[in-house]
Amino acid sequence: MGGNGGQPGIHTYTSLAEGGPFGSVEPPKRPTGRLIMHSMAMFGREFCYAVEAAYVTPVLLSVGLPKSLYSVVWLLSPVLGFLLQPVVGSASDYCRAGWGRRRPFILTLAVMMLLGMALYLNGDTVISALIADPSRKLIWAITITMTGVVLFDFAADFIDGPIKAYLFDVCSHQDKERGLHYHALFTGFGGALGYLLGAIDWAHLKLGRVLGTEFQVMFFFSALVLALCFIIHLCSIPEAPLRDAAKDILPQPAPQDPPLSSDRKHEYGSIEKVKSGYELPVQGGKNKNPAEQIQRTMTMKSLLRALMNMPPHYRCLCISHLIGWTAFLSNMLFFTDFMGRIVYHGNPYSAHNSTEFLIYERGVEVGCWGLCINSVFSSLYSYFQKALVSYVGLKGLYFMGYLLFGLGTGLIGLFPNVYSTLVLCASFGVMSSTLYTVPFNLIAEYHREEQQEEQQAQGGGPDSSGRGQGLDCATLTCMVQLAQILVGGGLGFLVNMAGSVVVVVITASLVALIGCCFVAVFVRYVD
């Protein structure tokens, strides 16, 4: 979403919205407080994600969603995201709102997240108060709740892109690294707090009795945290409108393609990037004024073409990332339901005042404690990764993350005990940290190796495949959505076939162990 170009040792900013209307601008150094304020969006987003992970499956089951359909809810959002992501990204790049390019989209998506939570956490209560007929009430409750889940997932998945673009637009290269560090830190904190609040038995506390049910309590906290965090985020760093920046740059003559530093970064979201220090020519081969250059945006066609033209080691890394996220999501999306039904032997389909349903709710609360352990351990493991990588390397970290997760989920599925399950939740944190760090470190290593080879060959022309680090990272990220599609489309069928949600945890274990073998044999590591 930006590029670092200019003379060696000088980090300059190039907008990804277009080839040149912004030219090269060096943003000022941002105070630590401003970067922390910017990171509050990740805190709020992850807090709400934690609430969804803990409660959405119990909510869907409590409104009477058929067992064969509840995983389909997870399928709708990633399909929409996979198809519409290029449209939203391009619209953000070219937005000419007076408030800036990114913040209008961030605000819109945050409101959509809030609306989605309101629907899936309060839909059943509202429908029950408005409709008396049981059959109509069931249909409307399921419809409203499913709509809320899809709306929230869609907005929460998309909002990460504009947030990162906002950071890259307004920060220098050094501040980008600091900002991303704070993003990761507050992501872990937000998830831990969300799971922690979900683990509290609100039904026996005064706030729970005042608001009605634990679902209303969690909506109260989620709405409060989300609103506060995004208000702070949107007021953190000023963002120049696109038209003002373009107006300032238009009178300047077109650059003469100066060579860039060898450590130039190719950021997420770009299609045509430089390889030997020069921008790729515009179609037709004519040199154009920066105001007339058009940035080629990522579309489904370009994404598929990039996948086909990828070197084998890139493709293997994408496959390993897909395997890892398929295993991780299979477990995480249904973990609290597993705790309530298998570990605690509750029944989400019983009457809400029955013993079986109350036992199920207790299992969901304890499952939230397990997810809180996962979030905290993920942050801790991320910190220790820096020390571990010098001993075991990226291959060891990658292998160990998949192996520990596969063994941990396997033991949970085979021996569903409360205390052992909570202890083994630490393996979820290892996997989470691994998926967020190691694959992108490998992408960076691959690109550094390619740059060194080009320097030794005295620099050839640009890569004819049109690939850059931005597209490679985007392709890697798309594996997460593809994993969501696989999980949403396959787990419902598996649960129906097996008649138990234990199959979800066992499947996650088997997929992770397969991925463990794959990362050891097929993924290439740079010495």
Side-chain angles (χ1 to χ4, degrees), residues 44-56 120 152 190-196 198 218 336 368 371 375:
R45 172 179 176 263
E46 198 64 22
F47 179 91
C48 296
Y49 255 143
V51 171
E52 185 203 33
Y55 280 99
V56 70
Y120 82 76
F152 174 83
L193 182 60
Y195 292 130
L196 182 63
M218 293 312 299
T336 55
C368 291
L371 295 177
S375 189

Side-chain angles (χ1 to χ4, degrees), residues 37 52 113 118 136 149 216 239 248 257 285 309 354 388 477 503:
M37 289 174 64
E52 185 203 33
M113 288 176 61
R136 290 183 60 224
V149 173
Q216 277 72 60
E239 184 186 12
D248 294 339
D257 291 327
N309 294 333
S354 65
L388 288 174
T477 303
V503 69

Side-chain angles (χ1 to χ4, degrees), residues 434-496:
T434 299
L435 290 173
Y436 280 118
T437 55
V438 176
F440 295 97
N441 284 334
L442 288 173
I443 284 284
E445 293 290 338
Y446 293 163
H447 276 266
R448 185 175 65 174
E449 183 183 51
E450 290 175 356
Q451 289 173 353
Q452 291 173 349
E453 291 175 354
E454 288 168 2
Q455 289 175 359
Q456 293 174 359
Q458 297 180 348
D463 188 352
S464 61
S465 67
R467 282 181 44 255
Q469 184 169 327
L471 182 56
D472 290 336
C473 290
T475 305
L476 200 62
T477 303
C478 283
M479 296 300 105
V480 181
Q481 292 177 320
L482 185 55
Q484 289 178 321
I485 294 172
L486 294 176
V487 170
L491 283 189
F493 174 76
L494 289 177
V495 170
N496 283 335

Side-chain angles (χ1 to χ4, degrees), residues 188-244:
F189 288 160
L193 182 60
Y195 292 130
L196 182 63
L197 290 180
I200 297 175
D201 186 6
W202 295 104
H204 295 87
L205 297 178
K206 184 176 181 179
L207 184 61
R209 291 192 294 270
V210 170
L211 294 179
T213 69
E214 60 182 342
F215 296 151
Q216 277 72 60
V217 173
M218 293 312 299
F219 173 71
F220 170 76
F221 282 114
S222 299
L224 182 64
V225 170
L226 185 70
L228 289 177
C229 287
F230 275 92
I231 289 173
I232 294 172
H233 168 77
L234 293 171
C235 297
S236 60
I237 304 175
E239 184 186 12
L242 177 61
R243 59 174 179 266
D244 293 346

Side-chain angles (χ1 to χ4, degrees), residues 383-522:
Y383 178 80
F384 288 108
Q385 270 189 341
K386 296 179 180 179
L388 288 174
V389 72
S390 60
Y391 293 99
V392 299
L394 290 176
K395 183 175 183 178
L397 288 178
Y398 214 6
F399 181 85
M400 186 166 59
Y402 280 61
L403 178 63
L404 291 178
F405 180 80
L407 294 177
T409 50
L411 291 173
I412 288 173
L414 295 174
F415 308 102
N417 176 270
V418 177
Y419 300 105
S420 62
T421 298
L422 291 178
V423 171
L424 290 171
C425 283
S427 66
F428 304 169
V430 174
M431 185 64 160
S432 174
S433 177
T434 299
L435 290 173
Y436 280 118
T437 55
V438 176
F440 295 97
N441 284 334
L442 288 173
I443 284 284
E445 293 290 338
Y446 293 163
H447 276 266
R448 185 175 65 174
E449 183 183 51
E450 290 175 356
Q451 289 173 353
Q452 291 173 349
E453 291 175 354
E454 288 168 2
Q455 289 175 359
Q456 293 174 359
Q458 297 180 348
D463 188 352
S464 61
S465 67
R467 282 181 44 255
Q469 184 169 327
L471 182 56
D472 290 336
C473 290
T475 305
L476 200 62
T477 303
C478 283
M479 296 300 105
V480 181
Q481 292 177 320
L482 185 55
Q484 289 178 321
I485 294 172
L486 294 176
V487 170
L491 283 189
F493 174 76
L494 289 177
V495 170
N496 283 335
M497 292 289 292
S500 172
V501 292
V502 174
V503 69
V504 173
V505 180
I506 298 299
T507 299
S509 175
L510 293 176
V511 173
L513 293 176
I514 292 172
C516 183
C517 299
F518 190 91
V519 301
V521 176
F522 295 101

Side-chain angles (χ1 to χ4, degrees), residues 259-291:
L260 305 180
S261 60
S262 61
D263 62 345
R264 171 164 178 164
K265 306 291 185 185
H266 308 295
E267 300 295 351
Y268 172 82
S270 61
I271 291 298
E272 304 294 346
K273 287 292 185 177
V274 299
K275 279 301 200 175
S276 58
Y278 295 90
E279 293 289 345
L280 291 182
V282 181
Q283 231 177 16
K286 297 179 180 180
N287 294 327
K288 294 191 177 183
N289 183 279

Side-chain angles (χ1 to χ4, degrees), residues 337-348 350 355-363 416-418 502:
D337 183 51
F338 172 83
M339 289 291 292
R341 298 172 68 177
I342 304 302
V343 178
Y344 273 79
H345 307 288
N347 186 359
S350 299
T355 302
E356 291 83 359
F357 186 80
L358 295 177
I359 292 175
Y360 175 80
E361 282 193 325
R362 176 58 182 165
N417 176 270
V418 177
V502 174

